Amino acid sequence: MPVIKLMRRREFIKKSASILASPAMLASSVAVANSGGEHPQTEVISLTAGKQMFKLGGMDHPPSPLWLYNNKLPGPVIRGTRDQNLKIQFTNQLDEPTTVHWHGIRLHNAMDGVSGLTQQPVQPGESFVYEFTPPDAGTYWYHAHHQSWNQVPRGLFGPLIIDETEPVFDRQHDLVLMLSDWLVDDDEVLDTGSFGSPRHASHAGRLGNFMTVNGKSRPVFDLYTDEWYRVRVINACSSRVLPFNPASFKASVIAVDGQPLPAPRKVDDVIRLAPSQRIDLLIRNDSPGLLPLELLLRRQTFEFASLNFKQNASSAQSTITSVNQVPTLPVNNKLTEPDVQNANQVELVMNGGAMSRLESLTHQGEVLQGRRFVETGQFWGFNGYAGMPENPLFSASPGTSVVISLFNDTAFEHGIHLHGHHFRVISREGTELVNNDWHDTVLMSPGEKIKIALVADNPGKWLIHCHMLAHAKAGMLSWFEVNA
Ligand code: C2O
Ligand code: CU
């Protein structure tokens, strides 16, 4: 069981030297020039996908054949500012086609990077310019979206941070933690033989047994006591749900999936973060020492990183973060509230997978049964249909409010992601939610029923799929259309 192996590895991980990193050293940062003038000049960011040997287990371990952006794990932090143009010159130096998707950004459809739906994939040796103006500040990420089940867990992902017009936290108080699990052998080398495994696809997906945070195993971050920090956690795992309890590391939640909450929220329970989801935490510790950041796995906790708090001897503290007042994020005011009463109703039932009572799924006009599930590699469906259907899940004219009733009629969890839109999760199991937060991905437990509401206001053809990438490959995807 991958979970157990992950726990056994903890002993190994403990012995390995921890890597000290200051927030500024988190990852090489690519900033977008902001002249502050009336016509800010757009700096073109270069992003190249290529093959690179990388020592996942640390310097004393053999390297793994990863696929990376700009030879870095994770890819460079791409940073933009809300309402300002971002321009990325992408080059493909892999041996196969690829695309880049800007997860969670409500951008122009042609820039969404979905191979076969919004663009033709970028061929080896070729380039593509992605250009968009992000309407919302927050924590996002980018990743490959051509055979994502194969390209993402080989390393093709990186953080995408959109700053507020007036950033609330300075860079020293703004950390990005990108978590990714890897399926490795006993030498900590990536297991490439198991990509596309039908057993993974029909169960919980490809679960790793080794965890990296910003490409390192269990990093330690040096921070100061008595100062407020924003910690942006990104789940870049290809299938693993990450269970945190923010209270266990003295944090409150200030944003989910990029969108700020109306006020910082103390959470006493475990938050299960689906693959692709983000959570922004507000952390302040008044006593020096190590604060472990832990995942609460079934039987044990797993320390994935730690914060090392020291007193700030210098008087040059940040004005924002040294004050006693709790910093708050401005809300992204460009999201339109859905009209739930008068919304179009859409049903989405998840079916298939191991241990299901489902007998058949339709795939490209064929009714799959018995061995055909394995032969076609299709195990999951939406509304009884496996794979990309010819007809959209729904079509709407721009500005239409839509309520989608989701029912997870399978024995596994799924993280359902909508492209190009944010939605409110309005009810679970028939109970209206007080915290009906905005999301771009929602985690569903087996048997669960939830309702989400959105305004379909971004024209184009948009993907909707499970972000457990092995599930999407095995049939759990569809699309919807907002007419121009
Ligand atoms: Cu994170 Cu379809 O994508
Ligand atoms: Cu799934």
Side-chain angles (χ1 to χ4, degrees):
M1 283 294 288
V3 173
I4 293 159
K5 280 181 86 180
L6 183 75
M7 300 319 303
R8 281 207 201 112
R9 259 173 225 289
R10 190 175 179 191
E11 285 317 302
F12 157 76
I13 294 163
K14 261 190 170 170
K15 279 183 262 156
S16 72
S18 62
I19 299 133
L20 280 152
S22 77
M25 282 169 54
L26 262 186
S28 65
S29 173
V30 182
V32 173
N34 176 3
S35 65
E38 256 180 82
H39 304 284
Q41 285 294 107
T42 303
E43 185 188 307
V44 181
I45 296 163
S46 302
L47 192 70
T48 302
K51 295 184 169 187
Q52 175 74 23
M53 296 304 287
F54 188 96
K55 293 177 177 177
L56 279 173
M59 280 337 230
D60 49 347
H61 283 264
S64 296
L66 300 193
W67 299 358
L68 301 175
Y69 290 117
N70 293 6
N71 292 336
K72 291 184 166 69
L73 178 68
V77 178
I78 295 181
R79 234 175 156 116
T81 301
R82 179 186 178 185
D83 292 332
Q84 287 188 18
N85 194 52
L86 256 173
K87 190 168 180 176
I88 298 114
Q89 165 90 36
F90 172 68
T91 306
N92 179 10
Q93 285 181 358
L94 300 168
D95 300 334
E96 58 175 77
T98 189
T99 56
V100 189
H101 169 57
W102 315 94
H103 182 111
I105 303 285
R106 301 186 300 128
L107 42 51
H108 190 260
N109 188 257
M111 295 292 125
D112 200 38
V114 178
S115 167
L117 185 69
T118 68
Q119 72 170 98
Q120 289 307 309
V122 184
Q123 296 300 320
E126 302 206 330
S127 291
F128 188 90
V129 177
Y130 290 97
E131 193 167 7
F132 53 90
T133 303
D136 307 313
T139 305
Y140 301 92
W141 64 303
Y142 60 95
H143 62 79
H145 215 303
H146 174 85
Q147 303 195 344
S148 336
W149 57 273
N150 184 41
Q151 298 192 346
V152 176
R154 287 181 196 258
L156 289 173
F157 53 81
L160 171 60
I161 306 300
I162 307 302
D163 282 320
E164 297 81 30
T165 315
E166 302 282 337
V168 179
F169 295 82
D170 60 26
R171 295 288 171 83
Q172 278 64 50
H173 296 84
D174 187 341
L175 280 73
V176 180
L177 268 53
M178 194 166 213
L179 276 65
S180 188
D181 67 339
W182 306 83
L183 191 52
V184 299
D185 66 15
D186 289 340
D187 287 328
E188 321 290 333
V189 172
L190 184 69
D191 174 4
T192 53
S194 57
F195 278 107
S197 140
R199 195 178 56 83
H200 291 161
S202 57
H203 290 75
R206 182 183 170 92
L207 299 177
N209 51 8
F210 186 79
M211 178 77 69
T212 58
V213 178
N214 300 343
K216 301 174 181 94
S217 171
R218 303 180 76 233
V220 179
F221 299 96
D222 284 329
L223 305 180
Y224 291 122
T225 56
D226 304 309
E227 298 185 15
W228 294 104
Y229 289 89
R230 175 184 195 164
V231 179
R232 307 171 187 256
V233 180
I234 306 172
N235 182 356
C237 299
S238 67
S239 293
R240 184 180 283 280
V241 176
L242 298 176
F244 302 99
N245 179 358
S248 73
F249 34 90
K250 305 188 181 183
S252 45
V253 182
I254 52 174
V256 173
D257 287 358
Q259 301 294 348
L261 302 183
R265 188 182 299 158
K266 286 250 173 281
V267 183
D268 297 315
D269 229 342
V270 172
I271 296 183
R272 297 175 60 74
L273 211 58
S276 87
Q277 285 199 284
R278 289 87 60 214
I279 196 166
D280 288 33
L281 303 172
L282 182 67
I283 295 186
R284 178 182 147 142
N285 195 4
D286 294 345
S287 41
L290 271 183
L291 188 63
L293 304 186
E294 293 174 333
L295 296 177
L296 308 176
L297 301 180
R298 209 159 297 162
R299 263 171 241 112
Q300 254 175 303
T301 57
F302 175 77
E303 188 180 322
F304 61 92
S306 48
L307 307 178
N308 182 27
F309 286 93
K310 291 190 281 214
Q311 239 136 18
N312 192 350
S314 102
S315 56
Q317 288 182 340
S318 148
T319 46
I320 305 158
T321 49
S322 59
V323 293
N324 277 316
Q325 203 183 331
V326 181
T328 52
L329 299 176
V331 295
N332 284 321
N333 56 8
K334 288 202 174 152
L335 282 157
T336 314
E337 282 301 332
D339 176 358
V340 174
Q341 300 316 317
N342 302 301
N344 286 4
Q345 303 289 327
V346 175
E347 300 231 327
L348 183 64
V349 181
M350 282 137 254
N351 14 61
M355 295 177 266
S356 86
R357 33 180 198 282
L358 185 94
E359 255 113 64
S360 67
L361 286 171
T362 302
H363 174 61
Q364 297 177 343
E366 182 196 354
V367 179
L368 303 181
Q369 271 168 328
R371 292 200 343 258
R372 289 297 286 153
F373 286 109
V374 180
E375 285 162 1
T376 57
Q378 299 295 299
F379 298 102
W380 303 96
F382 279 153
N383 296 344
Y385 197 94
M388 197 68 162
E390 208 173 298
N391 297 319
L393 178 66
F394 66 89
S395 296
S397 50
T400 312
S401 291
V402 180
V403 168
I404 309 179
S405 302
L406 299 130
F407 171 33
N408 179 2
D409 193 16
T410 81
F412 291 86
E413 288 179 308
H414 303 287
I416 305 300
H417 171 50
L418 266 72
H419 280 228
H421 294 75
H422 270 76
F423 52 83
R424 282 197 186 278
V425 179
I426 57 171
S427 76
R428 277 190 192 267
E429 298 299 325
T431 309
E432 273 185 44
L433 297 178
V434 184
N435 295 321
N436 57 351
D437 304 330
W438 291 106
H439 285 251
D440 58 47
T441 305
V442 63
L443 180 66
M444 296 199 63
S445 303
E448 197 173 27
K449 288 185 173 149
I450 67 159
K451 281 184 201 253
I452 64 174
L454 67 142
V455 178
D457 56 3
N458 199 353
K461 294 177 174 174
W462 301 102
L463 209 59
I464 171 168
H465 64 96
C466 178
H467 220 289
M468 277 107 174
L469 300 173
H471 289 177
K473 185 218 179 206
M476 207 177 247
L477 78 172
S478 186
W479 60 289
F480 65 98
E481 187 169 31
V482 182
N483 304 309

